[in-house]
Amino acid sequence: LFSPVPIFEKTTLVAGYHLVGRDVPAGDYTVIAPSGTGHFMIYDPQSSLAVDESLTPHCSDDPNTQLEVSLKEGQIVKINNLDRVELTK
């Protein structure tokens, strides 16, 4: 018998593309860049680019250190010029 491959909830996303519903669960998140400066983008199949935000390291009161997002099934998250970002529900 075949059984489905488990989907693991990721709380850390590395640079590249991630499919919501497969690589990361849908939901509301706070996104933090622990180091580096880069972009966090969300592509929606219905409306193309939905979010394109610059993130900087989370170490000050700078509003660019974190981002509040709502990820929906089928969206694609792109992490650009960052080693990783941390997601917190």
Side-chain angles (χ1 to χ4, degrees):
L1 291 176
F2 293 100
S3 58
V5 174
I7 296 175
F8 298 100
E9 289 192 18
K10 291 183 180 179
T11 57
T12 301
L13 297 179
V14 297
Y17 294 89
H18 308 274
L19 179 62
V20 179
R22 183 191 70 195
D23 300 323
V24 61
D28 297 327
Y29 294 95
T30 299
V31 181
I32 297 171
S35 64
T37 300
H39 286 266
F40 181 91
M41 294 169 265
I42 301 172
Y43 293 92
D44 191 308
Q46 306 302 321
S47 63
S48 69
L49 183 62
V51 172
D52 182 358
E53 293 289 336
S54 177
L55 289 173
T56 58
H58 188 68
C59 60
S60 69
D61 292 332
D62 184 342
N64 290 329
T65 62
Q66 67 181 33
L67 176 65
E68 304 294 325
V69 297
S70 182
L71 300 178
K72 296 175 181 62
E73 188 94 17
Q75 289 179 322
I76 297 170
V77 174
K78 180 181 178 188
I79 311 295
N80 191 25
N81 294 331
L82 291 164
D83 291 333
R84 69 183 196 280
V85 296
E86 304 288 335
L87 302 177
T88 306
K89 280 197 172 201

